[in-house]
Amino acid sequence: MSTQHVLIVDDEPDIRELLEITLGRMGLETHAAGDLREAGNLLRDARFDLCLTDLRLPDGSGIQLVDYIQQHHPELPVAVISAHGTMETAIAALKAGAFDFVAKPVDLERLRALVGSALKLNQENSPQQPDRRRQPLLGNSPAMQGIRDTVAKLARSQAPIYIHGESGTGKELIARQIHDQGPRRTAPFVPVNCGAIPPELMESEFFGHIKGSFTGATVDRPGLFQTAHGGTLFLDEVADLPLAMQVKLLRAIQERRIRPVGANQETPVDVRILSATHKNLADEVAANRFRQDLYFRLNVIELQAPPLRERIEDLPLLATHLLERIASRWGHPSLRLADGALHALEQYPFPGNVRELENILERAATLCEGQTLYARDLRLSPPNPAGNASTTSPPPLAVGEAALDTQLANQQREVIRRALEQTRWNKTQAAEVLGISFRQLRYRLKKLGIE
């Protein structure tokens, strides 16, 4: 294996020497620069596997160097080291694209762990490495292509990420992808539903406890932070954390240390924090139900998980994948959707998103006769695209799949035409009237042949 090269940028000779000795003992070759100009020259003349930069330099800021590296050497991880280790500084560095942030005085154990993780990036993402992703993010819609591109970038950072989205949109799957594509992929991914832990057990669940610390504590027990050490801790439904626990969680994230219940000493932990909720976390802060300082610490980078109704063109692929999974799980022959069933699904609003789609298909697979799922097997509630309750009974449907397909398409075409006429064929306004996205309306106009 060839020697890996690290660029150290710091104007203090003592710090440079400390870093060079520490990294040299790790078998790494180091190159030092005292300011931005010198660092820029080295970056132009040589290839590096990692950059460590001080925040304050004689001719500028370490964040300027992060920006430069992001533009000209995007594959190079860069970590910021600073004596001014405030939360705001760390967040600014991470938002600029820094791999991680280290405060002075430098904890050498923490530094070695950071360097090890950063140097794994190119190794883990090399073509020779096997693809260990558990489950792909399916879909060819622009929304899902954007999510996959963003996940690939976020996987190269250690920044905390807040994933926002409705229930059933796959927030945990996105978090797993970020973990599996990053340098922590060989370490544990530990998901926890914050709303499912009783408040009285929360501290013990997160931080662990020692034997005899409370009634029933008959053995030492590690918490979620210890279990996720070296890997990723995914806090699902983080908005459900009680305020008292939010304070303790904030300290654990900032200090990278936890104290098990009943212990006298703190334990260092190395975890990346990903969080998610279906609630609007900013609204929770405004209502004093969520601490603002914790919100800023978790929400360094926000990622929006799109609802299924905004990527309805992905539905055939998702349905096929889910039916294959259901058939495999049950040991059944392959299952398929009839055209009429697919058309019915495409008109359904899916308030429960992909999770609801899976439930609908599993129920239909139980009810259907044979290997083909028809619209009647889905048992969907009638769609109401215009958002208004109908005061008249719907016309009776003709019998048969072909007739049902035609009937459903005609009904959808009529609703869309009325919305277009109401808005004088302004498609953006028509989409708002129908309660769907502009992209979804454009997809349906093309599919239904409406000009």
Side-chain angles (χ1 to χ4, degrees):
M1 180 178 176
S2 61
T3 303
Q4 294 176 298
H5 297 256
V6 180
L7 173 61
I8 299 170
V9 186
D10 199 302
D11 61 330
E12 297 182 50
D14 291 347
I15 297 295
R16 291 202 302 267
E17 183 179 3
L18 173 65
L19 296 177
E20 287 175 332
I21 292 172
T22 302
L23 300 185
R25 288 175 177 170
M26 297 176 68
L28 304 171
E29 185 169 331
T30 60
H31 305 258
D35 54 33
L36 288 177
R37 182 189 58 80
E38 191 177 354
N41 291 336
L42 287 171
L43 286 167
R44 282 190 292 271
D45 297 338
R47 179 191 174 279
F48 295 97
D49 300 286
L50 171 64
C51 175
L52 301 175
T53 179
D54 190 19
L55 180 66
R56 293 190 177 181
L57 298 167
D59 55 349
S61 160
I63 293 181
Q64 290 176 263
L65 183 58
V66 173
D67 289 333
Y68 175 84
I69 289 174
Q70 286 289 301
Q71 292 177 25
H72 301 281
H73 307 277
E75 298 303 310
L76 174 62
V78 52
V80 174
I81 304 175
S82 174
H84 310 278
T86 66
M87 182 191 301
E88 293 77 12
T89 304
I91 290 174
L94 293 169
K95 285 194 172 185
F99 172 80
D100 210 340
F101 182 92
V102 182
K104 293 180 181 178
V106 177
D107 182 321
L108 295 184
E109 182 180 352
R110 160 85 182 119
L111 176 66
R112 284 190 286 267
L114 181 153
V115 170
S117 294
L119 293 177
K120 285 181 183 178
L121 279 172
N122 292 331
Q123 299 173 30
E124 295 287 352
N125 292 333
S126 66
Q128 290 77 23
Q129 292 295 322
D131 185 359
R132 301 178 64 255
R133 288 173 288 183
R134 295 178 179 84
Q135 184 178 343
L137 292 168
L138 294 176
N140 298 315
S141 63
M144 288 311 296
Q145 290 173 4
I147 287 288
R148 283 194 293 269
D149 291 344
T150 302
V151 163
K153 293 176 183 177
L154 297 181
R156 297 184 58 82
S157 167
Q158 296 301 291
I161 297 169
Y162 164 55
I163 306 169
H164 177 57
E166 300 173 8
S167 295
T169 50
K171 297 186 289 295
E172 182 176 337
L173 180 57
I174 292 173
R176 283 185 180 275
Q177 287 287 298
I178 294 171
H179 170 81
D180 287 344
Q181 293 183 35
R184 296 176 179 266
R185 63 196 299 178
T186 57
F189 174 87
V190 180
V192 53
N193 186 330
C194 297
I197 304 175
E200 64 273 13
L201 298 178
M202 197 160 279
E203 186 174 0
S204 172
E205 285 293 316
F206 273 97
F207 306 137
H209 62 253
I210 63 172
K211 180 180 177 180
S213 56
F214 54 84
T215 303
T218 56
V219 295
D220 291 353
R221 183 177 181 275
L224 294 164
F225 271 86
Q226 294 102 314
T227 303
H229 182 72
T232 302
L233 181 60
F234 174 56
L235 306 174
D236 197 10
E237 299 304 344
V238 70
D240 292 340
L241 285 172
L243 285 170
M245 189 62 206
Q246 292 176 30
V247 177
K248 296 173 182 177
L249 178 63
L250 175 64
R251 187 179 186 282
I253 293 173
Q254 290 185 166
E255 301 297 328
R256 302 179 193 255
R257 292 177 175 274
I258 55 98
R259 187 192 299 272
V261 177
N264 295 322
Q265 294 182 333
E266 292 185 328
T267 302
V269 287
D270 172 28
V271 298
R272 185 182 188 183
I273 299 292
L274 307 180
S275 60
T277 179
H278 72 281
K279 297 180 181 178
N280 187 313
L281 212 50
D283 290 347
E284 295 297 300
V285 171
N288 295 319
R289 290 189 293 267
F290 201 85
R291 291 181 61 94
Q292 186 177 53
D293 46 7
L294 179 58
Y295 169 71
F296 287 135
R297 196 66 183 88
L298 295 176
N299 191 25
V300 173
I301 299 173
E302 182 173 345
L303 183 58
Q304 179 74 35
L308 181 54
R309 63 182 174 275
E310 291 185 4
R311 57 184 189 104
I312 204 69
E313 58 266 50
D314 291 334
L315 197 146
L317 180 62
L318 287 169
T320 299
H321 171 76
L322 292 171
L323 286 174
E324 289 174 353
R325 195 163 73 184
I326 292 168
S328 174
R329 188 165 64 234
W330 291 0
H332 282 191
S334 60
L335 297 166
R336 61 174 293 272
L337 279 175
D339 291 342
L342 180 59
H343 292 160
L345 287 172
E346 289 173 337
Q347 296 178 74
Y348 186 69
F350 286 104
N353 295 291
V354 179
R355 185 183 298 131
E356 183 182 14
L357 172 63
E358 183 171 14
N359 291 339
I360 288 171
L361 293 176
E362 191 163 354
R363 180 182 64 202
T366 304
L367 297 173
C368 75
E369 298 177 3
Q371 297 170 234
T372 302
L373 279 62
Y374 294 96
R376 61 176 177 269
D377 300 317
L378 302 175
R379 300 195 175 186
L380 301 176
S381 56
N384 186 17
N388 298 317
S390 175
T391 56
T392 59
S393 300
L397 293 178
V399 179
E401 282 293 315
L404 178 60
D405 293 351
T406 302
Q407 188 86 42
L408 291 172
N410 287 341
Q411 288 180 352
Q412 188 177 22
R413 190 178 288 108
E414 180 60 25
V415 170
I416 291 175
R417 282 191 182 279
R418 284 203 301 268
L420 287 169
E421 289 171 358
Q422 177 183 333
T423 59
R424 298 185 180 182
W425 289 80
N426 183 313
K427 295 178 182 177
T428 301
Q429 293 180 11
E432 293 177 359
V433 169
L434 293 167
I436 59 178
S437 67
F438 178 78
R439 187 186 301 117
Q440 188 177 358
L441 175 61
R442 186 172 57 188
Y443 168 76
R444 296 193 180 192
L445 290 174
K446 181 178 178 181
K447 180 178 178 181
L448 295 170
I450 301 175
E451 298 295 333

